[in-house]
Amino acid sequence: MKIHCTRMILSTLFAGLAAHAHAAGTLIYCSDASPAGFDVAQYSAISDSDASAETVYNTLVSFKRGSTELVPVLAEKWDISDDGLVYTFHLRRGVKFHTSRFFTPTRELMADDVVYTFERMLHKDHPFRKAYPADFPNFTDMGMHKNLKSVKKVDDHTVRFTLNEVNAPFLQNLAMSFAVIHSKEYLEKLLQEGKPQLINQQPLGTGPFVFERYQKDAQIRYKANKDYWNKEDGPLVDNLIFAITKDPSVRAQKLMANECHIAANPAPADVGRLKQAPHLKVLSRPGFNVGYIYYNTEKPHLSKPEVRQALDMAMNKEAIIKAVYGGEGVLAHGPMPASQWSYDESIRSRPHDVEKAKALLKQAGYPDGFEMSLWSLPGARPHNSRLMAELLQSDWAQIGVKATISTYEWGEYLKRARQGTHDVVMSGWVGDNGDPDNWLGNLLSCNSVGGSNFSRFCYKPFDDLVMKAKRVTDTQERTRLYKEAQKIFHEQIPMSPVGTLVENVPMNKKVEGYKISPFGRHQFYGVSLK
């Protein structure tokens, strides 16, 4: 009876979504995961960013849709001091915060909102953070909690950021999702009501869409922000629905059946038939992503580079890419995709060699192998999947390493990975801002341990190079430093790069104006339906 009722509920939901798909002004996006939360500064996954940063919020600066060009958003312009330590942002006037069923603003965007937003991340004794403790992985991964000396209000529409040291990618970093601007008035209201946690459940910003409601693992509903400040590139549909659909084959079926207009992350095996469907089109571009297998370097059996080299060499990566990525992926040789400037083309992935892997394990003191856990991502993601975990399990068994596969709900998966309770964890990364530091700093620096550094890798020779590269502005010198760091990475191999996936976005031919983000984001402002 319980199963029967569940099927009825799901059938009713999908029928309702299908009806909406034909309603004028409603755009339905088949997303691939429930967000871990809506306070996006706490998270780093694209599914979290899409659900809030790209809909509800704005940043001071951002990237032009479909481009890596930095453009003004909430800041109309900015000045940088001669020594590169002071950034002064001049705020756009007339920007309104959302009016929703749980909040009505009394004023427009002001400098106080920017200061409040960043001071919450900067100071652990900030009143809102004390009431609602949270970690901000991107903010700390990049060392901004150490380098950002102050954020000060100059006047109602001017804010001054002062750094302790030069940070070459600072502006690009401010275009990332963690830097969305909150309403001080709204957050203080939540604080006064004793409900600060609602920031993570009822997001409210200045963005193109107003959050309405969320049903976990089912849907998120938004309505167009009719007061949006950007009339040239604002919302062109009345309603936006995220139909959360974890299974890529089901997403493909729903797209074929007109139950959604755009779908996230199609399985490589489905791309061909989606391209052939007469009512669909598939936009594609080279991927700016890498799928990884992270080794927890703090675990005794994974602490030696020889062990990690052995695990890397035992992996039949070509077979994995063929089985998991199909014709939509290529072998990744290093920690960054080949299209990232400063990529070291001299580094090549280790060849598949079981006997040499066994010899390395013996050299490291594990002639008979060992047992360990292997976490597979919940749900099927194009860059990692249960199938990939099973292939790894089989490959490692050939060198005596017994891997037990397990997984967790997405929010719990991230939490435990940041705490370092795993042995080996699967995940992927899509570049956020086009700067090498976004890969080598965010994923592998000492600052990022406890954040996105799931390897918990803190190796001084590597870290010194990455930190130095951030403090110089000469691109040629930065490139030299990053190439040195990549060579150290290859020897230490704290994580195994597997592949880079082609970015495919399938959609109904009625969709107009959609542009693929080079950073993997899904943006629905400026998008309309015929």
Side-chain angles (χ1 to χ4, degrees), residues 171-404:
L171 278 176
Q172 285 83 352
N173 292 344
L174 291 186
M176 292 169 59
S177 297
F178 79 92
V180 298
I181 304 303
H182 293 274
S183 162
K184 176 183 178 182
E185 188 180 23
Y186 175 54
L187 298 196
E188 289 192 334
K189 174 179 178 290
L190 295 181
L191 202 57
Q192 291 165 6
E193 293 176 350
K195 300 176 181 178
Q197 71 280 2
L198 291 184
I199 188 180
N200 207 22
Q201 301 166 35
Q202 297 177 354
L204 184 138
T206 59
F209 293 95
V210 180
F211 173 83
E212 289 196 296
R213 60 184 182 275
Y214 167 52
Q215 184 179 355
K216 186 175 173 61
D217 294 336
Q219 59 177 291
I220 315 171
R221 289 178 174 266
Y222 309 86
K223 63 181 180 181
N225 177 8
K226 300 298 184 182
D227 294 322
Y228 192 52
W229 58 270
N230 190 343
K231 304 305 180 185
E232 294 182 3
D233 203 18
L236 299 179
V237 291
D238 295 327
N239 303 288
L240 173 64
I241 298 174
F242 279 36
I244 300 165
T245 313
K246 295 182 179 180
D247 189 321
S249 63
V250 176
R251 291 198 297 274
Q253 291 169 12
K254 291 171 70 174
L255 194 61
M256 295 284 283
N258 292 320
E259 292 180 13
C260 56
H261 297 104
I262 304 174
N265 298 330
D270 289 327
V271 172
R273 70 185 181 95
L274 292 172
K275 286 181 177 178
Q276 293 172 2
H279 65 299
L280 302 179
K281 58 184 176 182
V282 179
L283 303 186
S284 301
R285 70 178 294 161
F288 196 53
N289 58 77
V290 180
Y292 304 109
I293 309 302
Y294 290 83
Y295 309 114
N296 187 342
T297 60
E298 290 183 346
K299 294 295 180 78
H301 54 292
L302 295 169
S303 62
K304 296 181 179 179
E306 294 83 3
V307 172
R308 303 192 295 267
Q309 289 172 16
L311 292 171
D312 182 71
M313 197 166 285
M315 295 166 55
N316 189 341
K317 295 181 184 178
E318 295 284 4
I320 289 172
I321 289 172
K322 184 177 180 180
V324 178
Y325 288 27
E328 302 297 321
V330 295
L331 179 66
H333 295 283
M336 306 189 293
S339 55
Q340 173 64 65
W341 66 266
S342 80
Y343 176 80
D344 191 340
E345 295 183 357
S346 70
I347 294 174
R348 311 310 290 170
S349 181
R350 288 179 176 80
H352 176 53
D353 191 329
V354 173
E355 294 308 312
K356 189 168 183 180
K358 287 180 179 178
L360 283 168
L361 275 188
K362 184 177 180 180
Q363 178 185 331
Y366 298 96
D368 301 317
F370 51 84
E371 296 184 8
M372 66 180 186
S373 64
L374 168 61
W375 292 6
S376 171
L377 280 168
R381 306 281 178 110
H383 49 73
N384 288 128
S385 65
R386 176 78 184 196
L387 172 59
M388 184 185 287
E390 291 170 352
L391 292 171
L392 290 172
Q393 185 183 52
S394 176
D395 287 345
W396 287 337
Q398 294 182 45
I399 61 170
V401 174
K402 182 181 178 181
T404 302

Side-chain angles (χ1 to χ4, degrees), residues 11-180:
S11 296
T12 301
L13 171 62
F14 291 145
L17 289 176
H20 273 290
H22 297 287
T26 296
L27 179 67
I28 297 178
Y29 167 57
C30 279
S31 64
D32 62 353
S34 291
F38 291 92
D39 181 16
V40 70
Q42 294 189 44
Y43 311 108
S44 56
I46 286 177
S47 52
D48 304 320
S49 177
D50 288 348
S52 55
E54 300 302 332
T55 50
V56 177
Y57 292 106
N58 288 134
T59 44
L60 291 173
V61 297
S62 189
F63 298 101
K64 186 177 180 181
R65 204 159 51 90
S67 167
T68 59
E69 179 188 347
L70 201 67
V71 293
V73 183
L74 294 183
E76 277 189 316
K77 58 181 180 178
W78 53 87
D79 307 310
I80 306 174
S81 63
D82 291 341
D83 61 6
L85 295 177
V86 180
Y87 291 71
T88 303
F89 293 92
H90 305 275
L91 302 183
R92 191 177 301 277
R93 295 171 186 260
V95 176
K96 296 181 179 180
F97 282 100
H98 298 162
T99 296
S100 71
R101 56 188 171 82
F102 41 83
F103 178 72
T104 300
T106 64
R107 60 169 176 78
E108 296 174 345
L109 170 77
M110 296 176 68
D112 291 335
D113 302 304
V114 179
V115 173
Y116 198 89
T117 294
F118 282 90
E119 287 196 335
R120 177 175 78 114
M121 294 186 284
L122 191 57
H123 303 303
K124 290 188 176 181
D125 60 351
H126 187 274
F128 195 93
R129 188 166 174 182
K130 287 176 69 176
Y132 178 56
D135 294 320
F136 307 106
N138 273 318
F139 187 76
T140 53
D141 288 355
M142 296 182 295
M144 290 186 75
H145 61 307
K146 296 178 180 178
N147 195 26
L148 190 53
K149 183 176 181 179
S150 65
V151 185
K152 300 292 185 182
K153 171 183 175 180
V154 178
D155 57 44
D156 283 347
H157 292 91
T158 311
V159 183
R160 182 167 295 143
F161 288 67
T162 303
L163 309 182
N164 289 310
E165 297 176 327
V166 172
N167 187 317
F170 183 68
L171 278 176
Q172 285 83 352
N173 292 344
L174 291 186
M176 292 169 59
S177 297
F178 79 92
V180 298

